Amino acid sequence: MSKPISKSLASAIALMVAVPVALTACGGNNNNSNSGAAATNSAAASNGSGESVTLRFFSNLPDRKSGQGLIEQTVIDNYVKENPNVKIEVEALAEEPFKNKLKAYMASNEPVDVTMVHFGAELGTLVSAGWIEELNPADYEGETYNFLPGVFKGFTFNDKLYGLPRNSDYEVIYYNKKLFADNGIKVPTTLDELFEASKAFRDKGIEPMSMNGKDLWSMAVMYQNIAQRLSGDQNSILDATAGTKKFADDANLLEAAKILKRFADEKVFNTAYMTMDYGASQNLFTQGKAAMWYMGSWEAGMASNESLPQEFRDNLGVIQFPTITGGKGIADDLIAWNGGGYALVKASKHPEEAKKFFDYMMRADQWAKIAWDTGAAVPAQKYELTGNETEVQKQLTDILLNAASTSGMTFNDAGTAAFKDASQNAVGKLLTSGSPEKFIEELQAAADKQ
Amino acid sequence: MHKVLSNKLAIFTFVFPGLAFFLFMFVAPVILSFYYSMTDTIAPGLDVNMVGLSNYTELLFHDERFWLSLRNAILLGLGFVLIQHPICIFFAIMLDRIGGKSEKWFRTIFFIPCVISVVVISRMWLTLLDPTFGMFNKLLSVIGLDSLQHVWLGDPNTALGSLLTILIWSGFGWGLLFYYAGVKGIPEDIYEAARLDGAVGFKLHWKMTIPLLKPVIAVQMTLAIVTALKQMETVYLTTNGGPGDSTQFVAVYLYNQAFAASQYGYANAISILFILVCLLATFVSNKLVKGDSIEY
């Protein structure tokens, strides 16, 4: 009896072992074949035989047909044309999913070759995870790259450079000229005028200012903007974040929180702002349903984006964040930073090929030039005026050239990722249910924890 | 057969796969998670710095957001048990009574929300509840209830309630399906006997159907509470815990701490407490609705 049993037992065991193996093999199939192919590729590449290499590129620009996504794709296409042996696989996700997946890639040490990164806290996490390749700043000096001074700040950790910025970012208010003109409302230059304009728009049934409140960060930047307009001091809030002073030391920070709360109380933001993400808030504005949009210079491309209505593009204007009566900040003070950029990934299977492509992309005649020529963004590198600039580009250039001071960082990105999460959450609470005093306490508690 | 079961190798062979699966897919991750919960690491695979139980003390005694998220999850569980399930039972009985073609029709219609992707449901409700363009507010205005128009998901006072409604709505089909199957399993002759004894209408179902459904109810209650505690996708896709933490749920909070705030060690401490809470909830709900098995 025992013999036949052990025979069937053996086959049972074989089956039990085989099934999971088969299952895992199915699941892991893609990875296995990829890594196998990748390994041969890298070997071929290092032999210099020019055999095909596939690079993985991870981006936060899912729209590859317009705006910054188009620039990115154009640079990639240019490179592939010049280097027919290289194939570049693009994976692009919208902003928030991108950030989440990037962390997952970091955690699993995914062999991406080049990735888009956000400065400050976000990149800081990736760097401390050892996922990002260090760069030599000397490689990027000189005319080939032409970076503007001071733009590496948010990409530098412990005096080491880990990425290169793609844009000069600064917060402005985009506005719809037609909505202002048709309703006889003055384009605001002071905070009081902004509140008046909002009230007038509300009375007409038009949303005054679109805001991506669900993402929280743009309201945090607005808070910094208000605080700067009050104190005239770009560094106060950054010092408090860094812990060299307290948030309560600067009375303007509390006052700014009160003013930001007024934005919500006086219904300056669109009604559903707390559930609106980036895309939804942009749609509200580009469809002419909201008169203003508080957003960064990287949206310059709206003016030349042909998928948007002609009427909207003709009526798109840019203003600086309003000044506050009695405040020390002037309109030319800018909340400016270099937020988006690119970095090389250490886990890359083709580090040399990846760096070649990366260097090519960051050349002044690639991303920077194409970005400016297509009007999609304001680069972090020197660019030449072509004479074909859109009105919006001209206005944005003026704002940047005339800047009396720049912040260099946004406070919510200037600390750790935990600080970013806590401070942005505090902003959300302030606007909906919390008090300004509690808000300052929460910011302090978040800064103390760093 | 008896010989097989007394063969130690055979027993091992039959038990091992299940046991191995349980150990590697459940016990091992929990142990790993417990290990990480005693560290302040910012992501898996990074430098690990042991911090003892400080994550737990922080969580239990200083973290308002955690308790708020737990409270919301429990509220959702109560919402499921006290609102969703009675409605499910009611509809299951109605469906059974209607019979014929319309029974099939309604059964399909009620189950539709369960086959729609969570992303679609979330976007759909965001659109429906949009304060300016949403159908819900428009509808209120049409029937002359303008004063009730509201920023449903954007106001901390109504966000949680609105979200609970969405979740109760979207989970309705599953509950209905289970109860419907339960009702269908009750033999018709028991009803006939009851009718002969004079039980009709509401009384018939209160005294007959509900007690006979008790085993189904017991399982469903436990599932409902665990589902509520684990709720993540719909919240993440609609409010992401906002406005101002008013719709924060444990699973969303855990996720954001781990991946947005890069507090991986801390997030693991949350997940360990989360497991304990789920086990406790399962235990309590099992105790509360201890179904005696009924044979018919």
Side-chain angles (χ1 to χ4, degrees):
Chain A
M1 191 69 196
S2 80
K3 275 214 163 165
I5 284 173
S6 68
K7 205 173 184 184
S8 58
L9 210 63
S11 43
I13 293 172
L15 191 70
M16 279 163 195
V17 174
V19 167
V21 168
L23 287 178
T24 38
C26 286
N29 208 4
N30 284 337
N31 290 336
N32 287 342
S33 63
N34 274 350
S35 58
T40 33
N41 279 343
S42 77
S46 56
N47 287 339
S49 61
E51 269 181 49
S52 66
V53 179
T54 305
L55 296 177
R56 285 179 65 186
F57 184 83
F58 191 35
S59 163
N60 69 334
L61 302 167
D63 177 1
R64 315 298 294 175
K65 296 259 151 58
S66 70
Q68 299 193 74
L70 179 63
I71 319 173
E72 216 177 63
Q73 196 56 50
T74 312
V75 175
I76 290 172
D77 293 345
N78 288 348
Y79 187 76
V80 172
K81 213 179 279 167
E82 288 177 27
N83 301 273
N85 63 318
V86 179
K87 249 175 75 181
I88 297 173
E89 255 175 35
V90 178
E91 180 185 2
L93 295 175
E95 185 68 13
E96 300 303 314
F98 166 83
K99 285 183 188 165
N100 290 330
K101 193 157 184 188
L102 191 59
K103 297 260 173 71
Y105 275 169
M106 170 198 85
S108 55
N109 203 23
E110 185 81 10
V112 175
D113 294 291
V114 178
T115 180
M116 186 272 161
V117 286
H118 290 283
F119 76 135
E122 305 261 350
L123 180 58
T125 306
L126 302 177
V127 167
S128 51
W131 193 58
I132 298 292
E133 191 73 69
E134 191 191 328
L135 301 171
N136 181 3
D139 289 355
Y140 302 99
E141 282 166 6
E143 295 227 323
T144 320
Y145 295 97
N146 249 335
F147 277 101
L148 297 167
V151 297
F152 295 158
K153 195 172 172 184
F155 295 82
T156 306
F157 300 86
N158 296 326
D159 296 327
K160 288 174 184 165
L161 181 66
Y162 287 95
L164 297 177
R166 65 182 180 196
N167 293 336
S168 293
D169 301 317
Y170 41 99
E171 281 301 292
V172 290
I173 296 176
Y174 294 94
Y175 73 105
N176 189 321
K177 290 178 188 163
K178 189 168 185 300
L179 284 179
F180 274 91
D182 287 357
N183 295 292
I185 295 167
K186 183 179 180 292
V187 179
T189 54
T190 67
L191 193 71
D192 294 327
E193 285 174 2
L194 178 67
F195 285 140
E196 273 168 39
S198 300
K199 198 170 171 305
F201 277 119
R202 279 269 165 230
D203 291 343
K204 307 253 181 196
I206 298 167
E207 304 267 19
M209 182 184 280
S210 190
M211 174 56 86
N212 55 329
K214 189 185 173 193
D215 301 339
L216 297 169
W217 59 262
S218 46
M219 298 184 303
V221 176
M222 185 182 260
Y223 168 68
Q224 179 172 358
N225 220 335
I226 297 170
Q228 196 284 328
R229 287 287 185 269
L230 283 172
S231 65
D233 181 357
Q234 293 275 20
N235 291 321
S236 177
I237 192 169
L238 296 172
D239 291 345
T241 303
T244 52
K245 64 190 264 190
K246 301 274 175 204
F247 277 89
D249 290 350
D250 184 352
N252 291 308
L253 294 178
L254 177 64
E255 190 56 31
K258 288 180 183 162
I259 293 176
L260 183 63
K261 204 168 164 55
R262 261 184 79 196
F263 272 75
D265 294 342
E266 306 211 4
K267 299 192 167 37
V268 176
F269 302 139
N270 62 298
T271 319
Y273 75 102
M274 264 301 173
T275 48
M276 284 248 177
D277 58 17
Y278 193 103
S281 74
Q282 181 168 30
N283 281 343
L284 195 73
F285 177 63
T286 56
Q287 286 166 11
K289 303 240 162 76
M292 294 172 274
W293 191 34
Y294 183 71
M295 199 38 76
S297 50
W298 58 86
E299 283 294 350
M302 283 193 296
S304 51
N305 181 351
E306 287 180 2
S307 62
L308 296 174
Q310 181 72 38
E311 195 198 0
F312 166 79
R313 285 187 281 142
D314 291 344
N315 286 299
L316 181 64
V318 180
I319 46 171
Q320 293 155 313
F321 193 74
T323 53
I324 298 170
T325 320
K328 296 198 188 90
I330 56 171
D332 284 338
D333 291 326
L334 267 191
I335 302 298
W337 67 97
N338 303 94
Y342 297 100
L344 284 165
V345 176
K346 245 187 204 161
S348 163
K349 293 230 161 83
H350 324 274
E352 284 171 26
E353 289 292 329
K355 183 156 192 313
K356 264 193 228 163
F357 165 64
F358 177 81
D359 290 350
Y360 177 87
M361 181 169 59
M362 299 319 294
R363 267 165 36 182
D365 64 349
Q366 288 301 317
W367 170 276
K369 185 173 179 342
I370 299 168
W372 186 253
D373 290 355
T374 56
V378 183
Q381 287 144 284
K382 270 184 211 142
Y383 51 86
E384 279 170 22
L385 296 183
T386 59
N388 300 323
E389 278 81 10
T390 62
E391 199 53 40
V392 169
Q393 276 184 296
K394 285 181 195 150
Q395 287 173 321
L396 282 169
T397 309
D398 282 347
I399 292 175
L400 186 62
L401 292 179
N402 294 329
S405 74
T406 55
S407 63
M409 288 296 277
T410 47
F411 86 100
N412 50 323
D413 286 291
T416 60
F419 176 80
K420 183 180 166 93
D421 180 67
S423 60
Q424 291 184 176
N425 182 60
V427 173
K429 267 196 227 165
L430 168 71
L431 282 163
T432 50
S433 52
S435 72
E437 290 76 14
K438 181 104 200 312
F439 171 70
I440 296 294
E441 277 171 33
E442 285 181 349
L443 287 187
Q444 190 58 53
D448 289 344
K449 264 192 202 165
Q450 291 191 84
Chain B
M1 193 65 196
H2 184 73
K3 258 194 175 164
V4 177
L5 290 181
S6 60
N7 181 338
K8 291 221 169 92
L9 187 64
I11 296 173
F12 175 76
T13 317
F14 287 126
V15 173
F16 179 72
L19 199 66
F21 190 77
F22 179 73
L23 285 176
F24 287 110
M25 303 307 257
F26 185 74
V27 179
V30 171
I31 292 172
L32 199 63
S33 191
F34 183 68
Y35 165 69
Y36 275 124
S37 75
M38 315 259 260
T39 70
D40 64 356
T41 180
I42 56 171
L46 296 197
D47 295 346
V48 165
N49 180 22
M50 298 303 282
V51 292
L53 291 172
S54 72
N55 280 336
Y56 288 95
T57 47
E58 169 74 20
L59 192 56
L60 289 172
F61 304 112
H62 306 291
D63 193 345
E64 286 171 36
R65 296 178 74 188
F66 171 72
W67 291 107
L68 185 70
S69 62
L70 188 61
R71 187 205 71 175
N72 287 346
I74 290 170
L75 274 181
L76 178 63
L78 289 176
F80 279 160
V81 170
L82 299 177
I83 303 171
Q84 186 190 49
H85 284 253
I87 301 176
C88 287
I89 296 173
F90 176 73
F91 273 86
I93 295 171
M94 295 283 282
L95 207 52
D96 178 53
R97 292 293 107 182
I98 290 174
K101 237 187 190 155
S102 40
E103 181 177 338
K104 275 185 193 157
W105 269 101
F106 282 115
R107 198 171 57 195
T108 313
I109 291 171
F110 288 147
F111 200 64
I112 287 176
C114 301
V115 291
I116 307 179
S117 128
V118 181
V119 181
V120 177
I121 288 184
S122 307
R123 297 308 311 185
M124 186 184 83
W125 276 96
L126 271 182
T127 316
L128 278 177
L129 293 178
D130 186 284
T132 325
F133 316 107
M135 206 147 73
F136 194 69
N137 270 357
K138 289 255 156 78
L139 204 70
L140 284 175
S141 136
V142 167
I143 57 173
L145 291 171
D146 294 58
S147 58
L148 287 181
Q149 284 193 349
H150 208 81
V151 192
W152 298 101
L153 282 166
D155 178 339
N157 298 317
T158 52
L160 188 61
S162 309
L163 201 59
L164 294 193
T165 312
I166 300 173
L167 291 168
I168 287 173
W169 175 85
S170 60
F172 170 73
W174 282 115
L176 179 78
L177 190 74
F178 281 100
Y179 291 120
Y180 177 71
V183 172
K184 280 284 172 204
I186 302 171
E188 191 56 34
D189 46 359
I190 297 187
Y191 283 112
E192 267 170 36
R195 282 202 195 89
L196 286 178
D197 290 339
V200 280
F202 179 74
K203 199 171 164 192
L204 175 74
H205 294 299
W206 185 249
K207 297 267 182 194
M208 291 282 312
T209 317
I210 307 268
L212 288 174
L213 278 179
K214 223 174 159 188
V216 184
I217 296 177
V219 174
Q220 280 294 297
M221 291 297 150
T222 311
L223 282 181
I225 288 165
V226 175
T227 313
L229 286 169
K230 290 200 308 191
Q231 173 49 232
M232 149 98 208
E233 306 90 336
T234 316
V235 180
Y236 185 74
L237 290 164
T238 50
T239 62
N240 195 13
D245 270 343
S246 57
T247 58
Q248 197 65 263
F249 282 74
V250 189
V252 181
Y253 183 52
L254 193 167
Y255 180 83
N256 281 334
Q257 285 300 307
F259 297 105
S262 289
Q263 304 223 69
Y264 193 71
Y266 191 65
N268 273 295
I270 301 176
S271 70
I272 292 292
L273 275 187
F274 188 28
I275 294 173
L276 292 179
V277 171
C278 283
L279 287 178
L280 185 73
T282 314
F283 177 74
V284 171
S285 67
N286 274 338
K287 279 273 170 213
L288 285 180
V289 276
K290 204 170 177 208
D292 310 313
S293 65
I294 296 160
E295 306 241 344
Y296 24 74

